[in-house]
Amino acid sequence: MTALRLTLAALAMTAAVPVWAQAPVPVAVADSVVDGVSQRLFPMLGALGRSPALDLRARAARIAACGEAPACVVEATIWTDQDRAAVAAAVGRLGKKAPLANADLSVAAGVDQELEALDVVLRVYGLGLPGRYPKIDGPVFATNTPFFADSVKVAINTARAASDAPPETIAASVRLAVALLDVNDATAATRFDPLDQRENAGARALAHRTDWNAFRYALLIVPGVGPEDIGTALSPRSKLHALLAAQRYRQGLAPFILVSGSAVHPRGTRYVEAVEIRRALIERYGIPANRVILEPYARHTTTNLRNATRRMVALGIPLDRSTLIVTDAEQSKYIESPTFTDRNRQELGYLPGAVGRRLSVYDLEFQPSRLSLRHDPRDPLDP
């Protein structure tokens, strides 16, 4: 009887162990920031996921050999030419099951561009190498400090905690790249999403019932210029841009004003150029809010024009009509220059549109191009 009682007591104690006392089991949780950035930067790679068609054994051995050394792990995770060739071969075998292409790019070209973008993020934010725009982008901490090394270690641990994908897979590589962006607060690519269901909802509704023939231009494009002062919300040049745009709108040249510019200059500013110009147009000049389209992602003059075209398509504004770029004399002259044309070809790989007639020192006609619909994750803060 005593033995039976002891056995029953032991069973009762085992059954009574509380859940919180058990070893924690990793549980998949949704992360709106990570999921949004992943989809924005790497939609085609996300569709490939953990494709069983890939043979990544050499890549797995390379990563495993690093142990827990953060810099080595990042370096080994970079997609080599051999790795990318294996992915290209796998994509070729998928046929009709391949992920959707990136605008006019082929599936193979789009996938390879996203792999290249992964390498950009790993090198810049994981190894501290200079990126395309080192003055305004890059890691929070200097690369020769222990703070930088620790941030990379934390990003690796975060990626591993968030996903059970083998480290050599596309899924794990995407998760690490986004974790590196996240630890550096470099997730601006989706900061305002869903933009056209919120800030631009009124303009979207108006665009669908606008008589475009009643206006000379479909849109006034107003780029921002940073103040180069972290405490200043709106630069003198951007104030001039707002005034000029209000005048052209009141003249009836176009039914909408599009303001473009992110939080760029100086690095670390909390003021978004487009948001502040929009505020000035509404509060100072009485322009209706549903007539001012927000484009808060562009970080350069090249992408001011590219992103304006994207918003036109998203809001239902016809691309077969000219727009008018309204800006200060110096920037307007620059947009018309061969230097700007060359920069577009070098950084974007195409011209976002055709610059047309000059109306004044402040005004240039511009015909948008559908090539601007290509997304480019190699510029991860504004793809």
Side-chain angles (χ1 to χ4, degrees), residues 287-366:
I287 307 298
N290 58 4
R291 294 292 181 180
V292 185
I293 298 169
L294 186 68
E295 191 297 294
Y297 290 121
R299 303 171 66 76
H300 313 279
T301 310
T302 54
T303 50
N304 284 138
L305 302 183
R306 181 198 71 179
N307 292 3
T309 304
R310 294 177 176 180
R311 295 274 61 75
M312 290 177 71
V313 172
L315 299 177
I317 300 174
L319 291 187
D320 59 353
R321 301 185 65 85
S322 291
T323 65
L324 189 67
I325 303 170
V326 181
T327 184
D328 60 86
E330 288 77 11
Q331 188 176 51
S332 186
K333 184 178 180 180
Y334 171 63
I335 291 172
E336 196 179 32
S337 71
T339 300
F340 184 66
T341 298
D342 292 342
R343 183 180 174 188
N344 278 294
R345 290 197 172 107
Q346 180 180 354
E347 296 181 11
L348 301 182
Y350 57 85
L351 300 182
V355 175
R357 293 184 304 158
R358 174 169 292 285
L359 274 62
S360 77
V361 294
Y362 303 127
D363 305 276
L364 271 177
E365 291 184 341
F366 178 72

Side-chain angles (χ1 to χ4, degrees), residues 87-173:
V87 175
V91 169
R93 290 192 293 271
L94 288 175
K96 292 183 179 179
K97 295 182 179 180
L100 296 176
N102 176 3
D104 64 319
L105 295 178
S106 67
V107 171
V111 168
D112 193 63
Q113 186 183 80
E114 290 186 17
L115 288 174
E116 183 183 351
L118 275 179
D119 286 353
V120 168
V121 174
L122 293 170
R123 288 191 174 105
V124 174
Y125 293 93
L127 299 177
L129 300 180
R132 184 185 290 179
Y133 309 110
K135 290 184 178 180
I136 58 172
D137 297 334
V140 170
F141 301 110
T143 57
N144 59 348
T145 65
F147 303 106
F148 173 77
D150 187 64
S151 72
V152 175
K153 179 181 178 181
V154 170
I156 293 171
N157 291 339
T158 300
R160 289 175 178 174
S163 172
D164 62 352
E168 71 274 11
T169 61
I170 290 174
S173 188

